[in-house]
Amino acid sequence: MTIGVVGLGLIGGSLAKAYSGEGHTVYGYDRDEAILGFAQVSGAAAGVLDEHSIKLCDALFIAVNPGDAAAYLEKAAPGIAENTIVFDCCGVKRNVCEQCFRLAREHGFTFVGGHPMAGSHNAGFKNSRANLFRGVYMILVPPVYDDPVLLGRIEELLKPAGFGCLTVTTAEKHDEMIAFSSQMAHIVSNAYIKSPSARGHKGFSAGSYKDLTRVAWLNAEMWAELCIDNSDNLIKELDRFIAAVTGYRDALAAKDEDKLKKLLEEGSRLKEELDHR
């Protein structure tokens, strides 16, 4: 198959490497021409994604920030073939899908919202790798949910990337859940590391510190855009978290060991329940 990849950073670069590694033809585009050159020299891209090669693509992946995704598709849409399926790879879905579904209807191709649940604080093409998506979830927001032919074609197009599971949902549900499962984790980790105690953690920290601070190291520009775009859902999760943490603080302030024990048991029990589902 022939694949187009827009944006050759960690996600786009890994897609290019995954598909080219499986013997498929990949055309790439990046606004940094040096990165595009690296992709071609490394064999991740066979050529440049332009107004000619885009017509050949079975699938087109747009792996840029949400604000740039619809803007790219607006310009490229007239040249996209009717049989091409376009996926975005953004971490939020409502605004991107609203704009891109409209463009797809107007120009006659198919757009599917996508969010590969993989990443790293080490960004850029140099850190991309062909196995980044092996075994991970790919969240999909299709234009319709009752077309087995479309869903079968999507599955076939995504197979070379190696995703472990495809999750089909709505843009609204995606953003609601991602506020909890991803964005909240980054904010909590990023806030936790700001304690003055963090500067003296060496010699006193182990696995729990590493687990909680892993995603504090992030791309601030990208995550600020993602969080602002999903601020309504994220504020709800933050309010819930603040209320929960306040309960622990109140129990500590009152030296209420029974209350604190109950809170800790509730959290431990819930974690066990969720992990065994």
Side-chain angles (χ1 to χ4, degrees), residues 207-230:
S208 54
Y209 169 84
K210 292 178 181 177
D211 290 344
L212 189 50
T213 60
R214 183 181 66 82
V215 293
W217 190 355
L218 46 72
N219 180 327
E221 180 179 356
M222 181 186 76
W223 279 99
E225 182 178 346
L226 291 172
C227 291
I228 290 295
D229 209 351
N230 199 26

Side-chain angles (χ1 to χ4, degrees), residues 19 46 61 63 67 85-86 114 121 150-151 192 205 214 217 228 276:
Y19 280 87
F61 293 95
I85 294 185
V86 179
H121 63 272
L150 173 61
L151 295 176
Y192 170 79
S205 58
R214 183 181 66 82
W217 190 355
I228 290 295
H276 285 87

Side-chain angles (χ1 to χ4, degrees), residues 24 71 85 114 161-162 171 174 239 258 267 270:
H24 301 288
I85 294 185
H174 170 278
D239 286 345
D258 288 340
L270 181 57

Side-chain angles (χ1 to χ4, degrees), residues 67-277:
D68 297 324
Y72 171 83
L73 194 57
E74 182 90 49
K75 293 179 180 178
I80 297 174
E82 186 177 334
N83 67 330
T84 301
I85 294 185
V86 179
F87 301 88
D88 81 291
C89 298
C90 300
V92 287
K93 292 270 76 76
R94 285 174 294 176
N95 290 339
V96 172
C97 284
E98 180 181 0
Q99 296 177 72
C100 293
F101 282 143
R102 173 183 58 80
L103 289 168
R105 288 193 300 269
E106 291 175 359
H107 295 277
F109 58 85
T110 300
F111 173 81
V112 177
H115 183 186
M117 297 301 290
S120 168
H121 63 272
N122 294 314
F125 182 79
K126 66 180 180 180
N127 293 302
S128 63
R129 60 184 192 274
N131 65 352
L132 181 67
F133 309 108
R134 291 289 171 192
V136 307
Y137 289 102
M138 174 59 155
I139 305 175
L140 299 168
V141 179
V144 294
Y145 298 88
D146 57 353
D147 186 345
V149 175
L150 173 61
L151 295 176
R153 184 157 179 246
I154 290 170
E155 185 175 1
E156 191 66 27
L157 287 171
L158 294 176
K159 191 175 294 182
F163 293 107
C165 182
L166 304 181
T167 300
V168 178
T169 187
T170 64
E172 291 74 20
K173 184 65 174 179
H174 170 278
D175 287 0
E176 178 186 335
M177 292 306 302
I178 249 33
F180 169 75
S181 67
S182 178
Q183 294 171 343
M184 265 291 291
H186 283 79
I187 284 181
V188 170
S189 180
N190 197 266
Y192 170 79
I193 201 67
K194 292 177 181 177
S195 168
S197 301
R199 297 190 179 278
H201 83 87
K202 289 186 178 179
F204 297 89
S205 58
S208 54
Y209 169 84
K210 292 178 181 177
D211 290 344
L212 189 50
T213 60
R214 183 181 66 82
V215 293
W217 190 355
L218 46 72
N219 180 327
E221 180 179 356
M222 181 186 76
W223 279 99
E225 182 178 346
L226 291 172
C227 291
I228 290 295
D229 209 351
N230 199 26
S231 60
D232 55 342
N233 287 313
L234 191 48
I235 287 170
K236 289 178 187 175
E237 291 297 340
L238 277 168
D239 286 345
R240 292 167 179 163
F241 180 75
I242 290 168
V245 169
T246 299
Y248 291 84
R249 188 193 185 286
D250 290 347
L252 288 166
K255 298 191 183 301
D256 189 337
E257 187 173 347
D258 288 340
K259 177 63 174 177
L260 183 59
K261 180 182 176 182
K262 181 180 178 182
L263 291 171
L264 292 169
E265 286 177 340
E266 286 174 350
S268 180
R269 185 168 60 250
L270 181 57
K271 171 64 175 172
E272 182 179 10
E273 176 188 332
L274 294 172
D275 281 3
H276 285 87
R277 280 185 176 178

